[in-house]
Amino acid sequence: MSSMQRLELRQGQSLVMTPQLLQSIKLLQLSHAELAAYVEAELERNPLLQEAEGRVKAPRLNPAAPAPSSEAPTLRMVPRSAPTPSGSGSDSSARAVAASTGELGADLEATLARAVSLAEHLETQLDLATADPQQRAVGRHLIHSLNEAGYLTENLDDIADTLHVAADEVMAALRLIQSFDPAGIGARNLAECLSLQLKERDRLDPAMEILVSRLDLVAKRDFVTLTRLCGVDDEDLAEMLAEIRRLEPKPGLAFTPARVEVLIPDVLVRPSPEGGFIVELNPDTLPRILLDRSYYSRVVQSVRSDKEKDFLSECLQSASWLTRSLDQRAQTILKVATEIVRHQEDFFREGVAALRPLTLKDVAEKIGMHESTVSRVVANKAIGTARGSFAMKFFFNVALGDAGHSAQAVRYRIKQLIAGEAAKGIVLSDDAIAQKLKADGIEIARRTVAKYREILQIPSSAQRRRTAETKAHAL
């Protein structure tokens, strides 16, 4: 057998993920705050980029208006002359509001009180609970021994040895701290934390004590053994487990400083005088940058070395790409938001009960984009409406049953039914709620009602009935 070498030319197609394409994908899923930080870094790095002055004219679409041409409108971020002091209209009003808000924000920031720490919160209660200097000293040591979740992990005998006090004194101080707010604080394990909270709610009966002591069986979902040990039936056990799930396993975290994020809409929706709704990008979240070609023209004439030419060429290419990518990002967000508003138009008129089922695939097919692109647009974005600001993901709901009701709308309906119990003097079981929903054309199982009720953090019918009876006796 002989071997022979030959040269063949073949033609094929393949997708090449260039650095620019990868960066465009990354820009699409950034929140406006993350995008602002990225653009700020590019402004510092690239001398050919310039921050535009004035207010950006945001593009807008009316979903109810005649369909636009296939060519998408182009968003040009160009500088505008500064407004005169006597300017009028929505732009000048918005600028006045922004200016006053900025001034007020600076004053508020200077006067905001520092958040109280867990230790400070507990020490205040300790000083009110006891005047005994030694008990206060032991209590303070215990307070500062708690971890972030509010648990005491140090051995009590070791603490007694360290402080040179009797072990029963340490235990007495711990019991005192465990009576403080928040409930469950100072526990030495999860079972004790849950028991303290149940005791505070007057719900630590013998059956619940057994259940809390056997959390290992709860983790294994060994419900048969649990019903036998607790001496209850399946329905009672389910209610007990639901009550435990509503407890706070880490009470100390409530005092952990957390970053507060304000939901600033990327897209604004308002009614159109001609009918339907106008969808427009929020000008305050659009980056204001320009490619300074005049500066490039001046600099390029003085460039001499190849290194300088390469740097200037790279800056020009990067700046051109960034301005185009930001333009494309804005148009893509606008197209996705417009389709969401068109599909969920009833929500903007009537509220949550009118939400319709919607998937990423539905939007992708309507606007001719890939589903993954829609997913990136929806991430970290929000829509501002007259009803408030909503994350874009809020408008995507799975369908329940053949009638096409959204899960969000069904949960809202369940909440309404339970909220109306007091006026009618009745307490609806999960099965009764399922029957009422069926009468309204919403076919869902009782266990689905129970799952949605738990998501809404609404107690079971038995617990609501006990609460109602307690209030009636109090009156």
Side-chain angles (χ1 to χ4, degrees):
M1 177 181 287
S2 61
S3 61
M4 181 177 62
Q5 291 183 336
R6 62 181 179 181
L7 182 65
E8 290 185 352
L9 181 64
R10 294 182 180 180
Q11 185 177 8
Q13 290 183 334
S14 63
L15 178 62
V16 179
M17 296 291 283
T18 64
Q20 289 81 5
L21 180 58
L22 288 170
Q23 199 63 36
S24 295
I25 293 173
K26 178 183 177 182
L27 288 180
L28 195 59
Q29 61 191 18
L30 293 180
S31 67
H32 67 86
E34 294 168 333
L35 181 65
Y38 175 83
V39 169
E40 184 66 29
E42 287 297 305
L43 284 168
E44 293 180 3
R45 187 189 69 83
N46 195 330
L48 299 184
L49 286 174
Q50 168 191 346
E51 189 168 11
E53 299 175 358
R55 189 178 178 86
V56 176
K57 180 70 171 180
R60 59 181 63 173
L61 291 175
N62 184 349
S69 62
S70 58
E71 182 179 358
T74 304
L75 174 65
R76 299 298 180 195
M77 301 189 186
V78 298
R80 298 173 62 182
S81 57
T84 60
S86 59
S88 61
S90 60
D91 276 6
S92 60
S93 300
R95 280 191 292 271
V97 171
S100 62
T101 303
E103 294 170 2
L104 180 59
D107 292 338
L108 285 175
E109 188 175 354
T111 57
L112 281 176
R114 179 178 61 83
V116 176
S117 68
L118 175 62
E120 291 170 335
H121 180 66
L122 295 176
E123 284 182 341
T124 300
Q125 296 176 76
L126 179 65
D127 290 339
L128 294 173
T130 179
D132 184 354
Q134 182 157 318
Q135 192 171 38
R136 282 184 177 182
V138 176
R140 280 188 171 81
H141 182 91
L142 291 172
I143 287 170
H144 288 278
S145 298
L146 301 180
N147 63 17
E148 189 180 53
Y151 283 80
L152 180 66
T153 57
E154 194 175 347
N155 185 275
L156 293 186
D157 290 332
D158 293 340
I159 294 176
D161 292 339
T162 301
L163 299 179
H164 303 291
V165 296
D168 59 346
E169 289 188 62
V170 179
M171 176 57 77
L174 178 61
R175 292 302 182 204
L176 182 62
I177 291 170
Q178 289 179 343
S179 68
F180 294 168
D181 174 74
I185 205 71
R188 288 161 289 180
N189 51 57
L190 177 59
E192 187 175 33
C193 180
L194 299 179
S195 296
L196 289 170
Q197 295 179 59
L198 290 167
K199 184 178 180 181
E200 192 267 341
R201 299 183 181 193
D202 196 24
R203 288 288 297 122
L204 193 61
D205 53 37
M208 193 66 88
E209 280 186 325
I210 296 172
L211 179 61
V212 171
S213 69
R214 296 307 308 268
L215 294 178
D216 57 323
L217 295 178
V218 175
K220 294 177 183 176
R221 302 180 67 83
D222 189 355
F223 302 140
V224 174
T225 304
L226 284 171
T227 54
R228 178 174 55 80
L229 291 175
C230 297
V232 297
D233 57 25
D234 292 342
E235 187 175 354
D236 286 336
L237 180 65
E239 290 182 6
M240 291 163 67
L241 290 171
E243 188 165 3
I244 285 179
R245 291 190 191 100
R246 286 191 291 272
L247 302 177
E248 176 52 68
K250 298 179 180 180
L253 293 184
F255 291 82
T256 301
R259 184 177 65 180
V260 178
E261 295 185 0
V262 180
L263 191 62
I264 301 176
D266 301 83
V267 178
L268 303 175
V269 178
R270 56 187 175 87
S272 170
E274 293 81 22
F277 294 87
I278 293 175
V279 184
E280 57 187 345
L281 294 173
N282 183 357
D284 294 332
T285 63
L286 293 176
R288 299 169 170 85
I289 64 168
L290 296 167
L291 169 57
D292 194 343
R293 294 189 178 276
S294 60
Y295 179 70
Y296 171 76
S297 300
R298 294 196 304 271
V299 173
V300 74
Q301 297 175 6
S302 60
V303 170
R304 296 291 181 266
S305 68
D306 291 340
K307 187 176 181 180
E308 290 175 342
K309 289 179 181 178
D310 291 342
F311 174 73
L312 194 61
S313 176
E314 190 276 330
C315 286
L316 178 63
Q317 183 181 6
S318 177
S320 299
W321 164 81
L322 182 58
T323 53
R324 288 196 305 270
S325 295
L326 291 174
D327 183 44
Q328 184 61 42
R329 177 185 184 273
Q331 297 302 331
T332 304
I333 292 174
L334 186 60
K335 286 184 70 175
V336 171
T338 301
E339 177 56 29
I340 291 174
V341 173
R342 187 198 65 77
H343 187 89
Q344 301 288 15
E345 189 169 333
D346 290 342
F347 163 82
F348 295 96
R349 299 185 190 282
E350 303 171 26
V352 179
L355 270 176
R356 297 171 56 197
L358 180 64
T359 65
L360 296 173
K361 185 179 179 181
D362 296 335
V363 174
E365 290 177 349
K366 286 289 185 179
I367 63 178
M369 289 182 180
H370 196 274
E371 189 174 337
S372 63
T373 302
V374 177
S375 176
R376 292 186 180 96
V377 170
V378 169
N380 306 312
K381 311 296 187 307
I383 295 179
T385 75
R387 299 180 180 275
S389 294
F390 299 85
M392 279 194 182
K393 290 183 179 180
F394 169 82
F395 297 97
F396 292 84
N397 286 276
V398 296
L400 289 179
D402 298 331
H405 298 280
S406 75
Q408 190 76 266
V410 173
R411 286 198 290 269
Y412 180 75
R413 179 66 179 136
I414 291 172
K415 188 176 181 179
Q416 280 187 317
L417 287 171
I418 294 175
E421 289 178 340
K424 297 179 180 179
I426 59 172
V427 176
L428 299 172
S429 66
D430 292 341
D431 188 61
I433 292 173
Q435 292 301 320
K436 283 185 173 292
L437 292 174
K438 184 178 180 180
D440 292 339
I442 304 173
E443 190 88 31
I444 64 172
R446 182 199 64 80
R447 62 179 179 274
T448 306
V449 173
K451 182 180 76 172
Y452 285 174
R453 176 177 53 72
E454 290 181 7
I455 290 174
L456 294 167
Q457 297 184 336
I458 296 175
S460 66
S461 58
Q463 290 173 293
R464 299 199 306 275
R465 189 176 294 110
R466 285 198 296 267
T467 302
E469 290 173 355
T470 301
K471 289 182 177 178
H473 288 313
L475 293 175

